Amino acid sequence: MSIFCTPESFQRSYNNFESYPQNIIHQHLYSGALKTYVARLDAAEPDLLTKPGAELLVPFRDLYPACQGPATHNIQSDDALRKWLGDQSTIDPLTSTRIGAIATKADPKCRFIFISGGNSREPLKISRRMLTRILTYHQVMPCYLDFMSVFGRSKSARELRFSGFRAQTLLKNPAPDSAIPDLGRSGRHFQMCYNLKGVARVPHGKSMLWSIRQAAVYHQFDIEKGTALWIVTKGNLEIKDRIKALTGKDGRTEDRAFDTPEQCLKSSLAVHLLHCHWSTEDWRWYVQFLEEQIDAEVGTPLPTEIAVLGPRGNDEAERVYTSADLQTLQIYQDKMNEIIMILEANNDVLASLRNFYKAMHEDSAFTLGNACSEDLTSFAKKIDEMKHDSAMQVSRARLLVQITSDRKSLVSQRISTNAPHGSMLMLEQILQHLQSQTTQRMEDLTTRLSDPDNALRELKVKVESLTMEAVCQRSYVLVAELLQWLRSEVHPGNSTTQAGRLLVAAYGDEILPKSTNMLSDKDSCCLLVFSILLLLGKGKLVHRFQRCEFLDKHLPIDHQQLRKKFRATQMQHEDQLAAEFDKKQWMFCPAKFELHSSQEHREPRILPICKKEEINEKGGIARVYQIEVKEEFVGDTLRRAVAFSRYNCGPSEKEPDWRYQFALKTFPNGSMSLYENEKKAFDALQNHNGMVRCLADYTHVEKMAGPQEGSITTNTFNLLLEFGEFDLDEFFAQRLPPVFQGETEEFWRALLDVAEALDGIHNLEMDTHGTVQQFQGWHADVKPDNILSVQGKFKLCDPGFAKFVRKTHSDPEEFLLGGTETYGAPERHPGRRDTMSAFSQTIDIWSLGCVFSIAATWIVFGYQGIKQFRTVRTKAIEQIRSKPVQQQALRSRSSLSAGDYFHDGHEVLEAVTSWHRVLRSSLRKTDSVTSDLLDLVDHKMLLGAPSERIKARDLISELTTILVQSERGPRVEMPGNIMETLLEADEDAVSSVQSSNLGQPVATGNDRKARKSRLLEQPLMKTAHRSEGLRSVVASYHAQPADSGRDQSGPTTAEANAPSGAPSASPDIPLRASPLHGPPPSTPAPEASVEHIDSPSVSGQSISPNQLGQRVGRTPKVHTPQDIFQALEEVEKRDKLLDGIRRKERKDELMSRHWINRDLKFLVDNGESMIPHWAWAKALLKVLVRKIAGQDENGLDLTFTLGQEKLENQKSNSKNWERVMERARPRPETRTNMRSSLGEIFSSFLKQVQQHMKYQPTKSVRKLTLIVLTDGIWAGMGNTQASINDIIVSFVQRVEEAIGDLIDRPVSIEFIQFGNDHEATYRLRQLDTGMKWQGIPDVIDTEPASGDVNKMLLGSFVKEYDDEDEDSPTQDPETAPSKQTIPPIELSSVNSLRRPLARGSTNSSASPTQPAVFVSRPTG
């Protein structure tokens, strides 16, 4: 538990929370006004709030950027609320003062608090104590109480007339006591509150009634930290459900992303729009309902309809009107007036909200304005659209009010006659009145429809609402939606269309030409031309344009043709009109992207690209962007070709905004030859599945602002490509390596597609009109950057340096340009004297071998391993370059430049082949592919002689054989419930991890803490090819019919009697895709060598633990593990940030939360059996010491099981750790007696406890955690398990007798196991889980040396870490694989990993990335 530092002013305010709002720190109101609020709250409390003891319910929804997802809780008491907020304080009964920490939890990135009642007329389900605690803790502006006061117990809905918007900003120079960094509050924030009203149909008995609902919204946003608070008060929890959908796993990514303040602001804007949409969505249908009620009830005319139309039958002739009829009409009229009032009030709130963010956008102190400019503009437009829709409903309501008033007059006159049938005179008066009123209404309607100003105004509003801004900052219109609107009816059931109404308005009193009847016809459609003319004030000329074939399908028309057509219309000032039309037409005819089109777009043409972001900045002449285009501007054939890239960017499925994603490669002016070469290469390779497709190409001429006044014209050459979510380098950074056998196979199978694409380049065949032409080609730039992940498949791209020649019978050689040195073959290295010679196609094989080498590194060690591999190669090159010339091999005549390539100028680097050996020794047991593939790389791809390298076609055959052999190997089963859980977790994980702000300047103080907090909150990452493999397997798993004759609760008799290791009778569900070639072999697979473990399963089915690598039947992890390499990178970065500052040593925040008043002692097993693991033990010990730095103020202790070497009270930065570990190195023929080693430590601690209890009995004993680094073999003992158990039980019992309760684990022992000796693993497992059966508390934990560093340090005394288990199931010693050993490596090798982090790398205890390492890791 962390205890945060809070200002005294906040503590005083919170301690007096029941006096809210008089206790608010920053009081914008004078004291008298605050007292008035208290008095009003006192008066309203009986009806507004729930009394203590009654049912309470306040749902919380806290959102974080980390992987754990939202934290939700239904608070039902003040005590639960206090704990949820992090208040651990209590009231001292003696002094009546508050003691303890009032703040132990940082604010979430976004918190929603929902206050509700049964409905708006019942008390809110929150007590006054809870309400004032919430409002004080978050320092909510007092005026929010005014907005809440409309709720509570009442016989009728309260204060529908009350509406408002209040806001406060504190952006510049906040007061010191307003900032609480530990809670995530910078003091620079704005807050607002407003209320909105919506309408909804609710059940009422067997019918449905319309009900007006209110919502009071409070919002607070910290512009520096990005933290947001929402308090929503409403009669029910309807908005809570909408918020859950918006920010849940099915919501848009941008609405639930909180990694940066910019993302947090965008999410807040989305929540505002959700509230606004709720307040506007159903009024249209409510107004329509009232229209129907006024016109006629279902099947029965209203009394007023008889009054208007007169009696039409005997029954109706006898109708007598009463005052009840007038009351009915008055009720409807009141409801319509109520609608007008509410909608106008809502519109005022929407306008205030829009204006607030507009002012914020223009405020220089609002630092998020520039980054979120596009989002703020879009927010304003959407608010304007809602306001416009509401205004339309107000107009409808006003018309209904007038109609109802007229009918009231008629009914009133009928009542005044007081005669059932009335007289002829009265009837004539009614008919005359009816005729005059009907005529007047028709005249009013005709005037409104034909009013040119009103009609044109509505057209302008519609065009404005459909106008978008392209990335070039030019505007274009969504023409499809505009045409739909022009063809729509003015009112439902009215045959008059919007276009017809505009025609009447345009021509006025003139007779409409016949040709205008065909205005909307498909072949002669002229609606867009008509719209442009209307906006130019020339709408009545549209019939002349039709006669001149001036139609929509001809747009855009060049300026010269425009002048000719305008002259043909015989108008005055035709040249001026042509110029105006030319300027206006371009926004109505943006470009459209078609499949395989090749277009030239001149300067006026607008490219409707609504989003454009550069994908990477990795150099090169061309730039690659990710772009988005609205569906309307993507041709039908192109839509079908890239259907996978379609997604909804709208707020909901009801309001979709469908877009397509593409990659756009742009070549600047002067690089047309490169563009043409790449375009031809794409054309030649368009039928190869392993190649990224070029979908279209175009050139674009545009004018740009020049360095001085005027402008310059520039040309760009563009290729529209399939969009790949990642290139291979980014894929490695954004995905976890595959773990299970099927995943690994699927990954290499995906890379096989790249090899097939390369073979397609090397042996190209083109069918041209029935004639097959054969070419031989070179890609010449194969590298991870040029391999993209497209819809789960890897594709080769960027053939910019590709070259093709006619096929000959000999191996071709060609002069080539370009390429990347890192992955280039040695014969292409610039230092070689013969670099101007021609090159064979096998330069691509070398490059692909480099890619495979990096891919294998990622599979074994994760993305950090790739960066370390780069360091290994760089250092190897440096060593070669540092040697004197006479010491270098005579044939190494090349002048090597610094770099990270894979060769020494002629042959593959020895460091690369050594690295591959390390990879082989460190493979997972489930990986049956990578080792064989590395053999292929070493022996047939990374060869110095070009002629000895394997051909592309032979490479495909070899790769296929490796994969088929792996698929035909033995496979074991895994429980289906685990499989489904892993699939769900992988699908919930984010698609990409946002780059951290590591590239920013080093911050100090609270900024550094905030940045570290961001580092520790990295989201859960996807695992490569997990969802693809699991989804189909889970589907087939559920599709299997259950055996109705089998008891699902246990095995059958045959199964129970089967010998150990016999195949299961249950169907095998392998976690893999279908085999590449042919059926599996007919010979039976060898029996599984994994000990059976009882575990829960679904429908009796199981899937192999070997495939999914998860412990069965264990408690799942609740914390993301941090391995040694992630921990090392974290402490390296932490130490680097402190260089030059020389401040007090900074502690690990996670450790500080748990490591309080506790000593740490390390015991290292240095018996003979630890010799193979000593390098790893040294490296791990150093990382643990640096990780725990500063937590034990007395210093750390180190002892060994053998010898006299030891350290006492040492700091983490002492060099003595390395020295003493070297001196205590294990020696042959030495055996560990763990009992005696533990006995010495236990005896020493007991003496300290006894001394402490004798002289300082009132003070708490300083706790002890013992961390034992061992392989668990302990060959120097007899009955190992019994002797260890006895000494530990005795020790713990004596400690308990001395100090009493051991709930907080004053002593704890963590065993860290090296190697995979299964007897030792079992022994340690028994110590961890079996000691409770001997009557002592759980003070022991075990963890493999390759496991979670945080668990190694905390697992023995922090319950949530102790409960976690992530090592593999225990195996039978007879069937277990042989032990893997670690090549010797010194601690200095680990130190060599120090370097700045690359942008986007993960570095936190929460990061789930796989380890990056250049040594094999022990298996635990």
Side-chain angles (χ1 to χ4, degrees):
M1 178 186 71
S2 297
I3 299 177
F4 293 149
C5 179
T6 55
E8 291 185 5
S9 57
F10 178 80
Q11 296 180 30
R12 288 194 303 270
S13 175
Y14 183 76
N15 289 338
N16 297 311
F17 68 89
E18 291 184 281
S19 64
Y20 177 89
Q22 291 178 295
N23 62 333
I24 291 296
I25 297 175
H26 295 285
Q27 300 178 355
H28 296 271
L29 300 174
Y30 58 93
S31 59
L34 295 176
K35 291 180 180 178
T36 302
Y37 272 111
V38 174
R40 286 206 295 259
L41 186 58
D42 291 339
E45 181 179 356
D47 295 331
L48 178 64
L49 305 174
T50 297
K51 296 180 180 179
E55 180 185 358
L56 302 173
L57 179 63
V58 183
F60 273 62
R61 182 176 179 83
D62 292 350
L63 304 176
Y64 300 86
C67 60
Q68 68 264 31
T72 60
H73 190 55
N74 291 331
I75 305 296
Q76 296 179 311
S77 68
D78 182 64
D79 187 61
L81 172 63
R82 185 174 56 82
K83 292 179 180 178
W84 185 261
L85 294 177
D87 177 7
Q88 301 294 333
S89 64
T90 57
I91 302 297
D92 189 334
L94 298 178
T95 62
S96 298
T97 59
R98 189 177 298 274
I99 57 175
I102 63 172
T104 61
K105 291 172 61 176
D107 292 345
K109 278 296 183 180
C110 185
R111 166 168 285 170
F112 292 92
I113 304 174
F114 302 98
I115 302 175
S116 66
N119 54 57
S120 61
R121 304 177 194 179
E122 293 184 6
L124 301 174
K125 294 181 179 180
I126 186 172
S127 67
R128 179 168 181 171
R129 185 178 178 84
M130 294 171 65
L131 176 64
T132 54
R133 186 186 296 277
I134 290 173
L135 300 183
T136 296
Y137 186 83
H138 293 287
Q139 295 292 298
V140 174
M141 53 198 293
C143 61
Y144 186 59
L145 292 174
D146 290 335
F147 293 84
M148 295 182 65
S149 64
V150 300
F151 297 89
R153 186 180 291 109
S154 175
K155 295 181 180 179
S156 60
R158 290 190 175 200
E159 296 189 47
L160 287 178
R161 295 178 179 84
F162 175 80
S163 181
F165 178 94
R166 304 288 187 273
Q168 291 178 4
T169 60
L170 190 63
L171 306 183
K172 297 180 181 179
N173 303 320
D177 55 354
S178 65
I180 312 177
D182 285 348
L183 293 183
R185 304 178 190 178
S186 70
R188 299 178 60 207
H189 68 267
F190 60 79
Q191 53 181 333
M192 66 180 71
C193 51
Y194 55 85
N195 68 332
L196 292 167
K197 303 174 186 66
V199 66
R201 296 194 70 180
V202 296
H204 184 73
K206 296 183 179 180
S207 60
M208 301 289 289
L209 295 180
W210 287 91
S211 174
I212 296 175
R213 305 293 179 86
Q214 301 201 56
V217 180
Y218 170 84
H219 178 50
Q220 182 184 113
F221 187 89
D222 190 305
I223 67 171
E224 184 174 320
K225 303 293 185 181
T227 53
L229 170 69
W230 295 89
I231 303 177
V232 181
T233 305
K234 193 178 179 298
N236 57 26
L237 294 175
E238 175 190 5
I239 288 185
K240 170 181 173 290
D241 298 333
R242 299 192 183 204
I243 294 292
K244 180 180 179 181
L246 179 76
T247 59
K249 64 179 182 179
D250 296 329
R252 297 187 307 169
T253 302
E254 57 267 33
D255 295 340
R256 51 187 172 88
F258 304 96
D259 293 300
T260 64
E262 292 79 6
Q263 290 178 334
C264 295
L265 178 63
K266 294 175 183 179
S267 176
S268 290
L269 295 178
V271 176
H272 280 305
L273 290 175
L274 180 147
H275 292 137
C276 296
H277 183 265
W278 168 82
S279 72
T280 58
E281 60 185 359
D282 285 326
W283 289 104
R284 171 187 174 187
W285 311 113
Y286 183 35
V287 173
Q288 181 174 318
F289 167 80
L290 292 177
E291 284 180 335
E292 294 170 355
Q293 291 300 306
I294 293 173
D295 288 339
E297 290 181 338
V298 179
T300 305
L302 271 178
T304 58
E305 194 169 7
I306 301 175
V308 174
L309 301 177
R312 293 174 293 175
N314 293 332
D315 293 339
E316 293 179 4
E318 298 297 325
R319 179 66 189 237
V320 177
Y321 291 97
T322 67
S323 58
D325 298 322
L326 281 177
Q327 290 175 340
T328 300
L329 286 174
Q330 185 63 48
I331 289 172
Y332 286 128
Q333 187 172 2
D334 290 345
K335 289 182 179 296
M336 298 311 302
N337 284 322
E338 186 179 71
I339 290 175
I340 294 171
M341 176 195 67
I342 291 174
L343 289 180
E344 289 180 342
N346 278 354
N347 266 7
D348 290 341
V349 173
L350 296 185
S352 298
L353 184 61
R354 180 192 187 281
N355 294 338
F356 175 83
Y357 278 101
K358 179 181 179 182
M360 294 292 292
H361 191 190
E362 296 169 354
D363 191 340
S364 60
F366 185 56
T367 54
L368 303 178
N370 292 334
C372 301
S373 178
E374 181 180 346
D375 301 274
L376 291 168
T377 301
S378 175
F379 174 79
K381 287 184 177 181
K382 290 177 180 178
I383 292 291
D384 288 340
E385 291 173 6
M386 295 183 194
K387 289 174 56 185
H388 175 71
D389 292 341
S390 294
M392 295 294 292
Q393 303 313 317
V394 170
S395 298
R396 291 177 62 191
R398 291 190 191 281
L399 180 61
L400 279 177
V401 168
Q402 183 61 44
I403 292 174
T404 307
S405 179
D406 294 341
R407 294 190 177 183
K408 281 172 55 182
S409 299
L410 290 174
V411 172
S412 179
Q413 291 182 34
R414 290 293 301 269
I415 293 175
S416 66
T417 62
N418 198 24
H421 300 285
S423 61
M424 290 300 295
L425 178 61
M426 188 62 196
L427 180 58
E428 291 176 1
Q429 291 176 347
I430 293 175
L431 292 175
Q432 289 175 359
H433 181 77
L434 169 63
Q435 182 177 2
S436 63
Q437 291 296 321
T438 304
T439 302
Q440 182 63 43
R441 281 198 301 274
M442 289 302 296
E443 289 177 353
D444 291 343
L445 181 60
T446 303
T447 299
R448 189 175 71 87
L449 293 176
S450 60
D451 180 9
D453 292 336
N454 187 57
L456 183 59
R457 187 181 306 111
E458 292 190 19
L459 173 66
K460 290 180 177 178
V461 170
K462 191 64 180 179
V463 170
E464 182 180 353
S465 67
L466 296 176
T467 298
M468 306 293 295
E469 185 177 68
V471 293
C472 62
Q473 298 183 340
R474 298 178 62 196
S475 298
Y476 63 95
V477 175
L478 302 177
V479 292
E481 294 188 37
L482 177 61
L483 292 173
Q484 182 180 3
W485 179 78
L486 290 170
R487 293 187 174 106
S488 65
E489 297 176 347
V490 177
H491 292 293
N494 189 333
S495 60
T496 302
T497 64
Q498 297 288 356
R501 176 189 173 201
L502 288 167
L503 276 171
V504 173
Y507 283 86
D509 297 334
E510 299 181 21
I511 298 176
L512 295 178
K514 291 184 179 181
S515 60
T516 58
N517 295 330
M518 299 183 293
L519 198 67
S520 301
D521 288 357
K522 182 178 181 180
D523 295 332
S524 60
C525 181
C526 207
L527 290 176
L528 294 180
V529 172
F530 181 42
S531 298
I532 297 172
L533 291 173
L534 285 170
L535 296 177
L536 295 176
K538 303 295 180 182
K540 64 189 302 182
L541 302 177
V542 65
H543 66 284
R544 299 188 188 183
F545 283 71
Q546 279 185 309
R547 286 200 304 264
C548 299
E549 290 292 309
F550 205 140
L551 308 176
D552 290 351
K553 62 184 179 182
H554 298 144
L555 294 177
I557 304 175
D558 66 78
H559 189 66
Q560 291 300 320
Q561 290 295 322
L562 279 175
R563 293 178 64 188
K564 290 180 180 180
K565 290 184 178 292
F566 269 89
R567 288 171 182 173
T569 59
Q570 300 179 354
M571 295 184 299
Q572 296 180 347
H573 310 296
E574 63 271 8
D575 289 348
Q576 179 182 349
L577 288 173
E580 293 177 355
F581 190 96
D582 181 44
K583 184 178 180 180
K584 183 70 70 174
Q585 69 170 335
W586 294 103
M587 66 184 299
F588 288 87
C589 47
K592 192 170 186 177
F593 296 93
E594 300 285 356
L595 184 64
H596 299 321
S597 62
S598 183
Q599 298 176 319
E600 293 185 4
H601 297 311
R602 303 300 300 175
E603 180 265 327
R605 197 66 182 261
I606 301 172
L607 298 177
I609 300 173
C610 50
K611 189 174 182 180
K612 182 178 181 181
E613 295 180 356
E614 190 165 3
I615 292 178
N616 59 50
E617 300 176 359
K618 298 180 180 178
I621 297 175
R623 290 287 181 265
V624 182
Y625 302 92
Q626 174 187 349
I627 66 170
E628 292 182 4
V629 181
K630 284 183 173 288
E631 185 172 46
E632 175 183 337
F633 305 107
V634 179
D636 292 338
T637 54
L638 183 54
R639 292 181 191 180
R640 291 192 292 271
V642 292
F644 61 88
S645 70
R646 180 178 185 254
Y647 82 104
N648 182 14
C649 188
S652 67
E653 292 183 0
K654 295 182 179 179
E655 300 180 48
D657 179 10
W658 292 107
R659 299 185 182 186
Y660 284 80
Q661 292 180 313
F662 302 96
L664 183 69
K665 188 167 187 177
T666 300
F667 294 80
N669 200 9
S671 57
M672 187 173 183
S673 60
L674 294 176
Y675 162 72
E676 288 292 343
N677 185 70
E678 187 157 343
K679 185 171 70 168
K680 291 177 181 177
F682 271 119
D683 291 342
L685 300 169
Q686 62 180 338
N687 295 324
H688 288 78
N689 292 330
M691 282 295 301
V692 168
R693 291 180 296 170
C694 180
L695 306 169
D697 62 86
Y698 66 90
T699 60
H700 189 208
V701 182
E702 55 184 334
K703 288 184 178 180
M704 303 178 65
Q708 298 177 353
E709 292 186 5
S711 60
I712 56 175
T713 301
T714 181
N715 250 1
T716 58
F717 310 97
N718 304 272
L719 299 174
L720 190 70
L721 309 172
E722 283 182 305
F723 174 67
E725 185 179 9
F726 308 111
D727 63 34
L728 191 58
D729 194 24
E730 294 167 331
F731 182 87
F732 290 153
Q734 300 279 6
R735 290 288 185 270
L736 297 177
V739 176
F740 315 126
Q741 185 172 357
E743 296 171 357
T744 307
E745 292 170 350
E746 188 63 29
F747 169 77
W748 286 116
R749 186 181 294 109
L751 276 184
L752 175 61
D753 292 341
V754 177
E756 292 177 343
L758 193 60
D759 176 57
I761 295 174
H762 286 188
N763 304 281
L764 178 65
E765 292 186 355
M766 297 182 64
D767 188 346
T768 307
H769 303 293
T771 301
V772 177
Q773 303 181 74
Q774 294 182 327
F775 298 88
Q776 291 172 309
W778 294 254
H779 185 280
D781 198 18
V782 177
K783 58 183 179 179
D785 289 357
N786 288 338
I787 298 173
L788 301 184
S789 174
V790 180
Q791 203 180 3
K793 299 181 180 297
F794 291 130
K795 293 192 175 188
L796 190 60
C797 71
D798 198 11
F801 298 111
K803 192 169 186 177
F804 296 90
V805 297
R806 291 281 182 180
K807 184 173 182 178
T808 63
H809 294 292
S810 60
D811 290 337
E813 292 186 344
E814 276 293 317
F815 295 98
L816 299 170
L817 299 175
T820 304
E821 287 186 22
T822 296
Y823 307 97
E827 60 267 27
R828 296 196 73 189
H829 190 267
R832 293 262 298 246
R833 296 179 181 178
D834 54 352
T835 52
M836 294 305 296
S837 61
F839 304 113
S840 70
Q841 291 176 308
T842 59
I843 62 169
D844 290 335
I845 299 298
W846 174 280
S847 299
L848 188 59
C850 297
V851 172
F852 285 175
S853 175
I854 290 176
T857 299
W858 172 73
I859 282 182
V860 179
F861 293 143
Y863 186 63
Q864 297 300 317
I866 293 176
K867 296 197 290 185
Q868 293 169 4
F869 186 23
R870 184 184 305 124
T871 302
V872 169
R873 302 195 307 272
T874 301
K875 287 183 177 290
I877 297 297
E878 289 177 356
Q879 291 175 2
I880 295 175
R881 295 178 70 237
S882 64
K883 291 181 180 179
V885 176
Q886 59 271 21
Q887 294 184 16
Q888 299 183 23
L890 292 178
R891 68 182 189 83
S892 182
R893 300 184 301 274
S894 59
S895 176
L896 286 177
S897 57
D900 60 344
Y901 26 91
F902 287 70
H903 57 79
D904 61 4
H906 289 271
E907 298 290 343
V908 66
L909 287 171
E910 176 60 28
V912 172
T913 55
S914 297
W915 179 269
H916 289 172
R917 288 195 294 271
V918 173
L919 295 181
R920 291 187 186 91
S921 67
S922 306
L923 288 171
R924 294 182 177 87
K925 298 174 184 177
T926 57
D927 189 345
S928 57
V929 178
T930 305
S931 180
D932 292 339
L933 193 134
L934 285 171
D935 292 340
L936 181 61
V937 171
D938 284 340
H939 302 311
K940 296 188 178 182
M941 298 181 76
L942 296 185
L943 301 177
S947 60
E948 295 179 4
R949 297 175 198 147
I950 192 172
K951 303 294 184 184
R953 191 149 294 175
D954 296 333
L955 175 63
I956 294 173
S957 177
E958 296 263 9
L959 290 172
T960 302
T961 300
I962 291 173
L963 288 170
V964 169
Q965 289 176 348
S966 176
E967 289 177 342
R968 292 177 176 177
R971 311 181 90 84
V972 203
E973 300 177 2
M974 162 158 291
N977 57 343
I978 290 184
M979 179 176 63
E980 291 179 331
T981 301
L982 291 176
L983 174 60
E984 181 180 352
D986 195 70
E987 292 183 337
D988 287 345
V990 296
S991 296
S992 62
V993 180
Q994 299 292 330
S995 297
S996 61
N997 298 323
L998 297 178
Q1000 297 179 357
V1002 176
T1004 58
N1006 296 327
D1007 292 338
R1008 285 181 59 181
K1009 294 184 69 174
R1011 184 170 66 179
K1012 182 171 182 180
S1013 177
R1014 288 195 296 270
L1015 291 174
L1016 295 176
E1017 294 174 349
Q1018 294 292 338
L1020 177 68
M1021 297 171 63
K1022 286 185 177 294
T1023 301
H1025 296 91
R1026 173 160 295 175
S1027 294
E1028 296 89 334
L1030 280 177
R1031 195 177 294 112
S1032 60
V1033 178
V1034 170
S1036 63
Y1037 170 77
H1038 284 295
Q1040 292 182 357
D1043 187 352
S1044 58
R1046 174 173 176 168
D1047 181 7
Q1048 299 297 325
S1049 63
T1052 62
T1053 304
E1055 291 172 332
N1057 297 331
S1060 176
S1064 172
S1066 60
D1068 182 17
I1069 309 177
L1071 177 60
R1072 59 176 175 179
S1074 57
L1076 288 173
H1077 302 286
S1082 57
T1083 56
E1087 293 181 357
S1089 59
V1090 179
E1091 183 181 34
H1092 176 72
I1093 300 176
D1094 292 332
S1095 62
S1097 61
V1098 181
S1099 303
Q1101 308 296 332
S1102 61
I1103 300 172
S1104 78
N1106 186 39
Q1107 292 170 348
L1108 287 180
Q1110 291 283 337
R1111 173 176 289 275
V1112 182
R1114 301 291 185 186
T1115 304
K1117 296 189 296 292
V1118 296
H1119 300 88
T1120 304
Q1122 182 187 51
D1123 63 27
I1124 178 177
F1125 307 99
Q1126 295 165 327
L1128 173 64
E1129 191 170 25
E1130 178 183 296
V1131 297
E1132 289 282 0
K1133 182 177 184 298
R1134 183 185 67 195
D1135 293 349
K1136 183 176 180 180
L1137 292 177
L1138 292 172
D1139 286 348
I1141 301 176
R1142 301 301 180 193
R1143 298 186 306 169
K1144 183 178 178 181
E1145 187 174 40
R1146 188 174 181 183
K1147 300 180 182 180
D1148 183 282
E1149 290 186 3
L1150 176 62
M1151 297 297 116
S1152 296
R1153 287 202 293 270
H1154 302 287
W1155 208 279
I1156 302 172
N1157 191 33
R1158 185 176 292 271
D1159 290 329
L1160 174 61
K1161 183 183 290 291
F1162 290 100
L1163 172 62
V1164 178
D1165 183 354
N1166 59 341
E1168 177 186 22
S1169 59
M1170 282 290 291
I1171 292 177
H1173 315 299
W1174 196 248
W1176 187 270
K1178 291 169 64 178
L1180 179 58
L1181 177 64
K1182 184 166 185 180
V1183 171
L1184 292 174
V1185 168
R1186 295 176 67 183
K1187 177 81 172 176
I1188 203 67
Q1191 304 297 342
D1192 185 350
E1193 55 269 26
N1194 296 333
L1196 309 177
D1197 297 343
L1198 170 63
T1199 60
F1200 296 89
T1201 57
L1202 297 167
Q1204 301 301 315
E1205 297 291 343
K1206 65 179 180 179
L1207 291 175
E1208 293 181 346
N1209 304 326
Q1210 290 291 308
K1211 298 298 181 183
S1212 62
N1213 57 2
S1214 173
K1215 295 183 179 180
N1216 292 332
W1217 296 96
E1218 296 182 40
R1219 299 191 187 110
V1220 73
M1221 283 291 287
E1222 185 59 36
R1223 292 196 300 268
R1225 180 181 289 275
R1227 291 174 174 80
E1229 299 182 1
T1230 57
R1231 298 183 177 184
T1232 295
N1233 185 332
M1234 187 57 67
R1235 177 186 174 95
S1236 64
S1237 299
L1238 291 177
E1240 293 176 5
I1241 296 173
F1242 292 165
S1243 176
S1244 175
F1245 181 74
L1246 284 171
K1247 290 180 180 179
Q1248 293 178 19
V1249 170
Q1250 293 168 357
Q1251 291 291 321
H1252 180 90
M1253 299 304 295
K1254 181 177 181 180
Y1255 297 105
Q1256 295 178 313
T1258 59
K1259 291 185 178 181
S1260 59
V1261 176
R1262 190 164 180 84
K1263 306 165 190 174
L1264 170 68
T1265 289
L1266 175 64
I1267 297 181
V1268 184
L1269 281 68
T1270 180
D1271 57 7
I1273 296 177
W1274 306 337
M1277 299 172 59
N1279 187 349
T1280 308
Q1281 191 71 51
S1283 60
I1284 286 291
N1285 286 4
D1286 291 345
I1287 190 174
I1288 292 177
V1289 169
S1290 174
F1291 168 66
V1292 174
Q1293 289 175 343
R1294 292 178 64 184
V1295 171
E1296 189 171 17
E1297 291 173 0
I1299 64 176
D1301 194 359
L1302 300 183
I1303 293 178
D1304 59 349
R1305 308 191 194 189
V1307 291
S1308 65
I1309 307 172
E1310 178 76 34
F1311 289 99
I1312 301 175
Q1313 185 190 7
F1314 294 80
N1316 60 352
D1317 185 279
H1318 300 288
E1319 291 185 4
T1321 300
Y1322 176 79
R1323 180 182 306 118
L1324 294 174
R1325 172 60 57 189
Q1326 290 300 307
L1327 289 175
D1328 186 2
T1329 61
M1331 300 300 287
K1332 61 184 178 181
W1333 303 111
Q1334 300 191 40
I1336 66 171
D1338 183 9
V1339 295
I1340 299 176
D1341 183 53
T1342 62
E1343 182 73 0
S1346 59
D1348 183 5
V1349 171
N1350 292 325
K1351 189 171 185 288
M1352 296 176 193
L1353 293 168
L1354 302 176
S1356 62
F1357 65 94
V1358 179
K1359 187 178 186 302
E1360 54 264 35
Y1361 280 92
D1362 187 18
D1363 291 342
E1364 290 184 356
D1365 202 338
E1366 50 184 351
D1367 55 350
S1368 58
T1370 304
Q1371 293 182 314
D1372 189 331
E1374 296 181 2
T1375 60
S1378 60
K1379 291 189 292 184
Q1380 299 182 12
T1381 60
I1382 309 169
I1385 176 170
E1386 304 304 320
L1387 289 176
S1388 58
S1389 301
V1390 180
N1391 292 336
S1392 68
L1393 299 181
R1394 292 178 181 160
R1395 63 186 181 279
L1397 288 175
R1399 181 184 178 193
S1401 66
T1402 54
N1403 174 32
S1404 72
S1405 60
S1407 171
T1409 53
Q1410 291 296 316
V1413 58
F1414 50 89
V1415 297
S1416 64
R1417 21 186 347 183
T1419 56

